[in-house]
Amino acid sequence: MHRFMLTGMSGGEFWLTGDELRHLAVVRLGPGDTVIGFDGEGSYRGVITEVGAERAVCRIEAALPGTGEAAARIYLVMGLAKGEKIEWVIQKGTELGMSGFIPLVTARSIVRPDESRRAAREARRRKIAAEAAKQCGRIRPPAIWPVAAWAELPALLPPDTAYILAWEEEKERSFRAELAQTDWGRPLALLIGPEGGFTPAEAGFAARELKAAPVSLGERVLRSETAALAVLALALGAAGDLG
Amino acid sequence: MHRFMLTGMSGGEFWLTGDELRHLAVVRLGPGDTVIGFDGEGSYRGVITEVGAERAVCRIEAALPGTGEAAARIYLVMGLAKGEKIEWVIQKGTELGMSGFIPLVTARSIVRPDESRRAAREARRRKIAAEAAKQCGRIRPPAIWPVAAWAELPALLPPDTAYILAWEEEKERSFRAELAQTDWGRPLALLIGPEGGFTPAEAGFAARELKAAPVSLGERVLRSETAALAVLALALGAAGDLG
């Protein structure tokens, strides 16, 4: 059944506008058809009663259980990489169940984003997250932050956040061992480096200031987007949020 | 240090030809520079002694430990999807450490590959796997099969292969629980459906003929390429092959 972000709800009805109204037309649904409307609080099964030029109205039949949200709060902090990699990770990280995404300026990022296109880029990333949330069954998209610097992380993430930093220089501690010791009641931030990896100085900062545990992802060299999705899948899996 | 697929080895030397020779030129390496050469058996540190029009010769300094290969033998069997999705999964599945990839004809695949381009498509997929293996540190790429039908799977995979089928219709058994009971001494094949999912008939065939265990990947609807990478990361992680 098709899901739509509802615009408003009142008196046993919800309504769809804008892009959601256009989407309704594209999938050729109209009066009498059943749809699911959701907002950041929940989702509702409804029957379309009218479709106008500005909005479609649906009579609510039932509130639906479940939120599609992971129980664990897992944030992905990813060193700046090419735009399409970031977008790909935002889309698939949303499906997997991440709570938020922070693109991080790192020493070895080769990308220097064009400042003049910043607003458009941030808007596109949020739209990708919103569409992925809609399609995968979540009632709200993950938070998508603007590009941040290391020093900002403590202010952006909850104060009790635990940090894990994936680092190819780490030879002893495995990610799996670290996950086995994770307290899923605390938010968890996973730090993934750019293609060139984190520098020793960055890993040192993370260890001192963020109490980040450096971990190895094994022998093979992973592209940053592969590492990002792997750590999300492994963490959400360990938390019980991927079946 | 740059890695190259070596063409041949003898008398304390190995040599590079063809695309590998061209790659050497692109990264501007020449006599006196150290490189790593690998074949399906191992890898070797060597110093370039000469670069000619047809080949570059390297004097072997040391055989290197490790193969970059996962200890667990994990195969990904994926319902046909758009070509670029298959190619992403081949690339990233190679980095994660899969042993082989089989594209599977399924009832709900909307893709009908163009037969006239089949050889080119298969060659491109094998090249993607070979390049990903080279870049991520493996000494051999995963096996990349041509498109297969359900009935062929037992002939393509080892006879003691255990099968797990990820299915959105499965509500009880979790992938995580199934992994906890997996015998890593046996090859494991992970079955991922096309965008429309496996049909009940397909899941039934897999259960009867392949002894496939149907499992859930949780509440959220995953794109087929997201599911593919998630199950590979979770399985290789559980096997200890991702740190």
Side-chain angles (χ1 to χ4, degrees):
Chain A
M1 202 178 297
H2 289 280
R3 303 178 77 243
F4 298 89
M5 267 176 289
L6 59 91
T7 301
M9 193 164 77
S10 173
E13 293 180 327
F14 62 78
W15 46 96
L16 312 178
T17 61
D19 282 346
E20 300 304 282
L21 183 60
R22 279 182 279 280
H23 179 193
L24 198 70
V26 164
V27 295
R28 296 197 193 126
L29 295 173
D33 291 323
T34 303
V35 297
I36 293 172
F38 68 93
D39 59 17
E41 303 291 314
S43 45
Y44 313 89
R45 192 179 70 238
V47 177
I48 303 171
T49 54
E50 58 181 275
V51 179
E54 297 296 320
R55 68 177 202 161
V57 182
C58 306
R59 181 186 72 249
I60 296 173
E61 290 195 323
L64 300 173
T67 60
E69 296 304 296
R73 289 160 294 162
I74 298 180
Y75 297 90
L76 182 66
V77 182
M78 183 174 171
L80 277 186
K82 283 188 192 168
E84 60 178 12
K85 287 192 182 200
I86 299 267
E87 292 178 1
W88 195 82
V89 170
I90 286 174
Q91 184 193 63
K92 287 146 179 35
T94 298
E95 295 170 48
L96 291 173
M98 71 181 179
S99 294
F101 178 88
I102 303 177
L104 181 71
V105 179
T106 58
R108 294 181 182 153
S109 296
I110 55 176
V111 178
R112 293 280 172 259
D114 180 351
E115 186 58 30
S116 70
R117 292 198 192 129
R118 184 165 56 85
R121 196 165 49 238
E122 287 171 14
R124 186 171 63 248
R125 290 172 178 176
R126 291 194 174 115
K127 185 168 181 177
I128 286 168
E131 302 216 353
K134 180 177 160 184
Q135 285 175 18
C136 78
R138 292 175 69 160
I139 60 168
R140 69 181 79 93
I144 305 296
W145 273 275
V147 173
W150 281 102
E152 301 178 73
L153 293 178
L156 299 178
L157 291 171
D160 58 335
T161 298
Y163 291 79
I164 296 177
L165 178 134
W167 202 32
E168 46 289 332
E169 305 287 324
E170 174 58 38
K171 301 301 178 194
E172 304 198 357
R173 183 65 162 171
S174 80
F175 185 48
R176 191 160 70 127
E178 197 61 37
L179 286 180
Q181 304 206 330
T182 292
D183 170 4
W184 297 109
R186 294 172 64 184
L188 175 65
L190 303 171
L191 296 156
I192 294 293
E195 293 295 0
F198 291 122
T199 62
E202 289 174 320
F205 173 91
R208 282 190 321 273
E209 305 297 324
L210 306 173
K211 307 294 179 276
V215 300
S216 165
L217 295 179
E219 287 194 282
R220 286 171 295 288
V221 176
L222 304 180
R223 289 167 181 260
S224 59
E225 71 275 21
T226 311
L229 292 190
V231 299
L232 277 176
L234 288 166
L236 285 154
D241 286 315
L242 280 177
Chain B
M1 199 177 299
H2 290 278
R3 302 178 78 243
F4 298 88
M5 267 177 287
L6 59 92
T7 301
M9 192 164 75
S10 175
E13 296 180 326
F14 63 77
W15 46 96
L16 313 177
T17 61
D19 281 346
E20 301 304 282
L21 184 61
R22 279 181 278 280
H23 178 193
L24 198 70
V26 163
V27 295
R28 298 200 193 123
L29 295 173
D33 290 322
T34 304
V35 297
I36 292 172
F38 67 93
D39 59 16
E41 303 291 314
S43 45
Y44 312 90
R45 191 178 69 237
V47 176
I48 303 170
T49 55
E50 58 179 277
V51 179
E54 297 296 320
R55 66 178 202 160
V57 181
C58 305
R59 181 186 72 248
I60 295 174
E61 289 195 326
L64 300 173
T67 61
E69 296 304 297
R73 288 160 294 163
I74 298 180
Y75 297 89
L76 182 66
V77 181
M78 183 174 170
L80 277 186
K82 284 190 193 167
E84 60 178 13
K85 288 192 181 199
I86 298 268
E87 292 178 5
W88 288 339
V89 171
I90 286 174
Q91 184 192 63
K92 286 144 180 37
T94 298
E95 295 170 49
L96 291 174
M98 71 182 179
S99 294
F101 178 88
I102 302 178
L104 180 71
V105 179
T106 58
R108 293 181 183 152
S109 296
I110 54 175
V111 178
R112 294 279 171 259
D114 180 352
E115 185 60 28
S116 70
R117 292 199 192 130
R118 184 165 56 84
R121 197 165 48 238
E122 287 171 14
R124 185 170 62 249
R125 290 172 179 177
R126 291 194 174 113
K127 184 167 184 180
I128 285 167
E131 301 216 353
K134 180 178 160 183
Q135 285 175 20
C136 77
R138 293 176 68 162
I139 61 168
R140 69 182 80 91
I144 305 296
W145 274 273
V147 173
W150 281 102
E152 300 178 73
L153 294 177
L156 298 178
L157 291 170
D160 58 338
T161 299
Y163 291 80
I164 296 177
L165 178 134
W167 203 32
E168 46 289 332
E169 305 287 324
E170 174 58 37
K171 301 301 179 194
E172 305 198 358
R173 182 67 161 169
S174 80
F175 185 49
R176 191 160 69 126
E178 196 62 37
L179 285 180
Q181 305 205 330
T182 292
D183 170 5
W184 298 109
R186 294 171 65 184
L188 175 64
L190 302 171
L191 296 156
I192 294 294
E195 295 294 0
F198 291 121
T199 63
E202 289 174 322
F205 173 90
R208 282 189 322 273
E209 305 297 325
L210 305 174
K211 305 294 179 277
V215 300
S216 165
L217 295 179
E219 286 195 281
R220 287 171 294 287
V221 176
L222 305 179
R223 288 167 184 260
S224 60
E225 73 274 21
T226 311
L229 292 191
V231 298
L232 277 176
L234 288 167
L236 286 153
D241 286 316
L242 279 177

mmCIF file of all heavy atoms in Angstrom, chain B residues 69-97:
data_model
loop_
_atom_site.group_PDB
_atom_site.id
_atom_site.type_symbol
_atom_site.label_atom_id
_atom_site.label_comp_id
_atom_site.label_asym_id
_atom_site.label_seq_id
_atom_site.Cartn_x
_atom_site.Cartn_y
_atom_site.Cartn_z
ATOM 1 N N GLU B 69 41.294 -12.603 1.758
ATOM 2 C CA GLU B 69 40.062 -13.366 1.558
ATOM 3 C C GLU B 69 39.381 -13.623 2.896
ATOM 4 O O GLU B 69 40.035 -13.814 3.905
ATOM 5 C CB GLU B 69 40.368 -14.719 0.914
ATOM 6 C CG GLU B 69 40.955 -14.610 -0.486
ATOM 7 C CD GLU B 69 40.053 -13.806 -1.417
ATOM 8 O OE1 GLU B 69 38.911 -14.242 -1.669
ATOM 9 O OE2 GLU B 69 40.480 -12.736 -1.893
ATOM 10 N N ALA B 70 38.078 -13.655 2.878
ATOM 11 C CA ALA B 70 37.337 -13.996 4.089
ATOM 12 C C ALA B 70 37.545 -15.479 4.387
ATOM 13 O O ALA B 70 37.771 -16.279 3.473
ATOM 14 C CB ALA B 70 35.845 -13.719 3.873
ATOM 15 N N ALA B 71 37.482 -15.825 5.663
ATOM 16 C CA ALA B 71 37.574 -17.243 6.022
ATOM 17 C C ALA B 71 36.270 -17.947 5.652
ATOM 18 O O ALA B 71 36.279 -19.089 5.189
ATOM 19 C CB ALA B 71 37.849 -17.379 7.516
ATOM 20 N N ALA B 72 35.161 -17.275 5.869
ATOM 21 C CA ALA B 72 33.861 -17.863 5.549
ATOM 22 C C ALA B 72 33.601 -17.770 4.046
ATOM 23 O O ALA B 72 33.998 -16.806 3.391
ATOM 24 C CB ALA B 72 32.758 -17.120 6.300
ATOM 25 N N ARG B 73 32.953 -18.803 3.509
ATOM 26 C CA ARG B 73 32.589 -18.791 2.079
ATOM 27 C C ARG B 73 31.122 -18.397 1.984
ATOM 28 O O ARG B 73 30.236 -19.187 2.294
ATOM 29 C CB ARG B 73 32.806 -20.173 1.476
ATOM 30 C CG ARG B 73 34.272 -20.536 1.314
ATOM 31 C CD ARG B 73 34.427 -22.040 1.182
ATOM 32 N NE ARG B 73 34.055 -22.743 2.408
ATOM 33 C CZ ARG B 73 33.786 -24.051 2.481
ATOM 34 N NH1 ARG B 73 33.845 -24.796 1.391
ATOM 35 N NH2 ARG B 73 33.452 -24.614 3.625
ATOM 36 N N ILE B 74 30.930 -17.143 1.560
ATOM 37 C CA ILE B 74 29.570 -16.609 1.509
ATOM 38 C C ILE B 74 29.242 -16.163 0.094
ATOM 39 O O ILE B 74 29.959 -15.361 -0.495
ATOM 40 C CB ILE B 74 29.410 -15.468 2.530
ATOM 41 C CG1 ILE B 74 29.640 -16.044 3.930
ATOM 42 C CG2 ILE B 74 28.032 -14.827 2.426
ATOM 43 C CD1 ILE B 74 29.533 -15.069 5.052
ATOM 44 N N TYR B 75 28.172 -16.736 -0.438
ATOM 45 C CA TYR B 75 27.728 -16.447 -1.802
ATOM 46 C C TYR B 75 26.468 -15.602 -1.753
ATOM 47 O O TYR B 75 25.580 -15.829 -0.920
ATOM 48 C CB TYR B 75 27.429 -17.751 -2.544
ATOM 49 C CG TYR B 75 28.653 -18.621 -2.702
ATOM 50 C CD1 TYR B 75 28.994 -19.560 -1.733
ATOM 51 C CD2 TYR B 75 29.496 -18.468 -3.802
ATOM 52 C CE1 TYR B 75 30.136 -20.333 -1.863
ATOM 53 C CE2 TYR B 75 30.640 -19.241 -3.944
ATOM 54 C CZ TYR B 75 30.955 -20.175 -2.968
ATOM 55 O OH TYR B 75 32.081 -20.943 -3.094
ATOM 56 N N LEU B 76 26.382 -14.654 -2.647
ATOM 57 C CA LEU B 76 25.184 -13.824 -2.747
ATOM 58 C C LEU B 76 24.425 -14.217 -4.011
ATOM 59 O O LEU B 76 24.990 -14.218 -5.106
ATOM 60 C CB LEU B 76 25.565 -12.347 -2.808
ATOM 61 C CG LEU B 76 24.381 -11.377 -2.854
ATOM 62 C CD1 LEU B 76 23.577 -11.418 -1.561
ATOM 63 C CD2 LEU B 76 24.884 -9.951 -3.110
ATOM 64 N N VAL B 77 23.151 -14.571 -3.828
ATOM 65 C CA VAL B 77 22.283 -14.930 -4.944
ATOM 66 C C VAL B 77 21.190 -13.864 -4.978
ATOM 67 O O VAL B 77 20.400 -13.755 -4.040
ATOM 68 C CB VAL B 77 21.662 -16.338 -4.744
ATOM 69 C CG1 VAL B 77 20.788 -16.700 -5.942
ATOM 70 C CG2 VAL B 77 22.758 -17.377 -4.526
ATOM 71 N N MET B 78 21.166 -13.063 -6.019
ATOM 72 C CA MET B 78 20.327 -11.860 -6.016
ATOM 73 C C MET B 78 19.362 -11.851 -7.196
ATOM 74 O O MET B 78 19.794 -11.984 -8.358
ATOM 75 C CB MET B 78 21.249 -10.641 -6.092
ATOM 76 C CG MET B 78 20.554 -9.303 -6.017
ATOM 77 S SD MET B 78 21.802 -7.951 -5.927
ATOM 78 C CE MET B 78 20.714 -6.518 -6.176
ATOM 79 N N GLY B 79 18.087 -11.655 -6.902
ATOM 80 C CA GLY B 79 17.086 -11.571 -7.964
ATOM 81 C C GLY B 79 17.444 -10.461 -8.934
ATOM 82 O O GLY B 79 17.911 -9.392 -8.534
ATOM 83 N N LEU B 80 17.230 -10.716 -10.215
ATOM 84 C CA LEU B 80 17.592 -9.736 -11.243
ATOM 85 C C LEU B 80 17.024 -8.362 -10.949
ATOM 86 O O LEU B 80 15.850 -8.221 -10.616
ATOM 87 C CB LEU B 80 17.081 -10.191 -12.611
ATOM 88 C CG LEU B 80 17.946 -11.187 -13.365
ATOM 89 C CD1 LEU B 80 17.366 -11.421 -14.747
ATOM 90 C CD2 LEU B 80 19.382 -10.686 -13.482
ATOM 91 N N ALA B 81 17.862 -7.367 -11.092
ATOM 92 C CA ALA B 81 17.494 -5.970 -10.891
ATOM 93 C C ALA B 81 18.213 -5.183 -11.985
ATOM 94 O O ALA B 81 18.949 -5.743 -12.784
ATOM 95 C CB ALA B 81 17.931 -5.510 -9.508
ATOM 96 N N LYS B 82 17.992 -3.871 -11.978
ATOM 97 C CA LYS B 82 18.661 -3.035 -12.988
ATOM 98 C C LYS B 82 20.174 -3.256 -12.955
ATOM 99 O O LYS B 82 20.765 -3.375 -11.899
ATOM 100 C CB LYS B 82 18.394 -1.556 -12.692
ATOM 101 C CG LYS B 82 17.025 -1.109 -13.081
ATOM 102 C CD LYS B 82 16.932 0.417 -12.985
ATOM 103 C CE LYS B 82 15.477 0.849 -13.067
ATOM 104 N NZ LYS B 82 15.304 2.239 -12.678
ATOM 105 N N GLY B 83 20.764 -3.212 -14.129
ATOM 106 C CA GLY B 83 22.184 -3.499 -14.265
ATOM 107 C C GLY B 83 23.080 -2.737 -13.318
ATOM 108 O O GLY B 83 24.012 -3.298 -12.752
ATOM 109 N N GLU B 84 22.773 -1.451 -13.120
ATOM 110 C CA GLU B 84 23.701 -0.711 -12.274
ATOM 111 C C GLU B 84 23.628 -1.158 -10.812
ATOM 112 O O GLU B 84 24.625 -1.119 -10.099
ATOM 113 C CB GLU B 84 23.505 0.793 -12.414
ATOM 114 C CG GLU B 84 22.140 1.281 -12.052
ATOM 115 C CD GLU B 84 22.014 2.793 -12.177
ATOM 116 O OE1 GLU B 84 22.901 3.432 -12.775
ATOM 117 O OE2 GLU B 84 21.033 3.338 -11.644
ATOM 118 N N LYS B 85 22.479 -1.611 -10.380
ATOM 119 C CA LYS B 85 22.374 -2.126 -9.011
ATOM 120 C C LYS B 85 23.217 -3.384 -8.856
ATOM 121 O O LYS B 85 23.903 -3.572 -7.847
ATOM 122 C CB LYS B 85 20.923 -2.467 -8.667
ATOM 123 C CG LYS B 85 20.023 -1.282 -8.471
ATOM 124 C CD LYS B 85 18.706 -1.743 -7.847
ATOM 125 C CE LYS B 85 17.781 -0.542 -7.658
ATOM 126 N NZ LYS B 85 16.719 -0.839 -6.687
ATOM 127 N N ILE B 86 23.116 -4.255 -9.849
ATOM 128 C CA ILE B 86 23.895 -5.497 -9.807
ATOM 129 C C ILE B 86 25.380 -5.148 -9.754
ATOM 130 O O ILE B 86 26.144 -5.725 -8.982
ATOM 131 C CB ILE B 86 23.591 -6.346 -11.063
ATOM 132 C CG1 ILE B 86 22.120 -6.740 -11.108
ATOM 133 C CG2 ILE B 86 24.527 -7.536 -11.166
ATOM 134 C CD1 ILE B 86 21.766 -8.058 -10.475
ATOM 135 N N GLU B 87 25.796 -4.160 -10.546
ATOM 136 C CA GLU B 87 27.212 -3.799 -10.588
ATOM 137 C C GLU B 87 27.682 -3.206 -9.272
ATOM 138 O O GLU B 87 28.774 -3.501 -8.782
ATOM 139 C CB GLU B 87 27.469 -2.848 -11.763
ATOM 140 C CG GLU B 87 27.295 -3.560 -13.105
ATOM 141 C CD GLU B 87 27.483 -2.666 -14.313
ATOM 142 O OE1 GLU B 87 27.841 -1.486 -14.136
ATOM 143 O OE2 GLU B 87 27.300 -3.177 -15.449
ATOM 144 N N TRP B 88 26.833 -2.328 -8.630
ATOM 145 C CA TRP B 88 27.213 -1.789 -7.306
ATOM 146 C C TRP B 88 27.416 -2.920 -6.313
ATOM 147 O O TRP B 88 28.330 -2.922 -5.518
ATOM 148 C CB TRP B 88 26.086 -0.936 -6.702
ATOM 149 C CG TRP B 88 25.842 0.381 -7.322
ATOM 150 C CD1 TRP B 88 26.707 1.122 -8.090
ATOM 151 C CD2 TRP B 88 24.649 1.135 -7.216
ATOM 152 N NE1 TRP B 88 26.107 2.284 -8.467
ATOM 153 C CE2 TRP B 88 24.843 2.331 -7.956
ATOM 154 C CE3 TRP B 88 23.426 0.924 -6.575
ATOM 155 C CZ2 TRP B 88 23.846 3.310 -8.064
ATOM 156 C CZ3 TRP B 88 22.452 1.905 -6.686
ATOM 157 C CH2 TRP B 88 22.656 3.077 -7.419
ATOM 158 N N VAL B 89 26.461 -3.860 -6.330
ATOM 159 C CA VAL B 89 26.510 -4.946 -5.362
ATOM 160 C C VAL B 89 27.736 -5.816 -5.614
ATOM 161 O O VAL B 89 28.395 -6.254 -4.678
ATOM 162 C CB VAL B 89 25.211 -5.774 -5.389
ATOM 163 C CG1 VAL B 89 25.348 -7.030 -4.548
ATOM 164 C CG2 VAL B 89 24.046 -4.938 -4.867
ATOM 165 N N ILE B 90 28.069 -6.054 -6.868
ATOM 166 C CA ILE B 90 29.268 -6.839 -7.166
ATOM 167 C C ILE B 90 30.505 -6.123 -6.632
ATOM 168 O O ILE B 90 31.367 -6.721 -5.981
ATOM 169 C CB ILE B 90 29.397 -7.115 -8.681
ATOM 170 C CG1 ILE B 90 28.366 -8.182 -9.093
ATOM 171 C CG2 ILE B 90 30.813 -7.561 -9.054
ATOM 172 C CD1 ILE B 90 28.290 -8.453 -10.597
ATOM 173 N N GLN B 91 30.588 -4.817 -6.891
ATOM 174 C CA GLN B 91 31.757 -4.057 -6.427
ATOM 175 C C GLN B 91 31.845 -4.088 -4.903
ATOM 176 O O GLN B 91 32.862 -4.463 -4.332
ATOM 177 C CB GLN B 91 31.669 -2.608 -6.898
ATOM 178 C CG GLN B 91 32.908 -1.790 -6.518
ATOM 179 C CD GLN B 91 32.688 -0.297 -6.719
ATOM 180 O OE1 GLN B 91 31.840 0.329 -6.077
ATOM 181 N NE2 GLN B 91 33.469 0.290 -7.606
ATOM 182 N N LYS B 92 30.769 -3.713 -4.241
ATOM 183 C CA LYS B 92 30.832 -3.592 -2.791
ATOM 184 C C LYS B 92 30.802 -4.944 -2.084
ATOM 185 O O LYS B 92 31.388 -5.120 -1.023
ATOM 186 C CB LYS B 92 29.724 -2.652 -2.302
ATOM 187 C CG LYS B 92 30.074 -1.191 -2.636
ATOM 188 C CD LYS B 92 28.852 -0.369 -3.009
ATOM 189 C CE LYS B 92 29.211 1.068 -3.339
ATOM 190 N NZ LYS B 92 30.469 1.294 -4.040
ATOM 191 N N GLY B 93 30.136 -5.912 -2.692
ATOM 192 C CA GLY B 93 30.171 -7.261 -2.149
ATOM 193 C C GLY B 93 31.576 -7.845 -2.207
ATOM 194 O O GLY B 93 31.979 -8.589 -1.302
ATOM 195 N N THR B 94 32.331 -7.489 -3.246
ATOM 196 C CA THR B 94 33.724 -7.930 -3.348
ATOM 197 C C THR B 94 34.547 -7.320 -2.219
ATOM 198 O O THR B 94 35.319 -8.011 -1.550
ATOM 199 C CB THR B 94 34.320 -7.529 -4.711
ATOM 200 O OG1 THR B 94 33.581 -8.173 -5.747
ATOM 201 C CG2 THR B 94 35.793 -7.920 -4.821
ATOM 202 N N GLU B 95 34.378 -6.031 -1.966
ATOM 203 C CA GLU B 95 35.088 -5.390 -0.853
ATOM 204 C C GLU B 95 34.744 -6.045 0.476
ATOM 205 O O GLU B 95 35.586 -6.248 1.341
ATOM 206 C CB GLU B 95 34.700 -3.920 -0.745
ATOM 207 C CG GLU B 95 35.091 -3.040 -1.910
ATOM 208 C CD GLU B 95 34.421 -1.674 -1.787
ATOM 209 O OE1 GLU B 95 34.489 -1.070 -0.689
ATOM 210 O OE2 GLU B 95 33.825 -1.224 -2.778
ATOM 211 N N LEU B 96 33.466 -6.330 0.655
ATOM 212 C CA LEU B 96 33.055 -6.915 1.937
ATOM 213 C C LEU B 96 33.619 -8.324 2.100
ATOM 214 O O LEU B 96 33.896 -8.744 3.227
ATOM 215 C CB LEU B 96 31.535 -6.916 2.061
ATOM 216 C CG LEU B 96 30.888 -5.534 2.210
ATOM 217 C CD1 LEU B 96 29.363 -5.646 2.174
ATOM 218 C CD2 LEU B 96 31.313 -4.864 3.517
ATOM 219 N N GLY B 97 33.805 -9.049 0.983
ATOM 220 C CA GLY B 97 34.460 -10.350 1.070
ATOM 221 C C GLY B 97 33.655 -11.532 0.566
ATOM 222 O O GLY B 97 33.990 -12.677 0.876
#
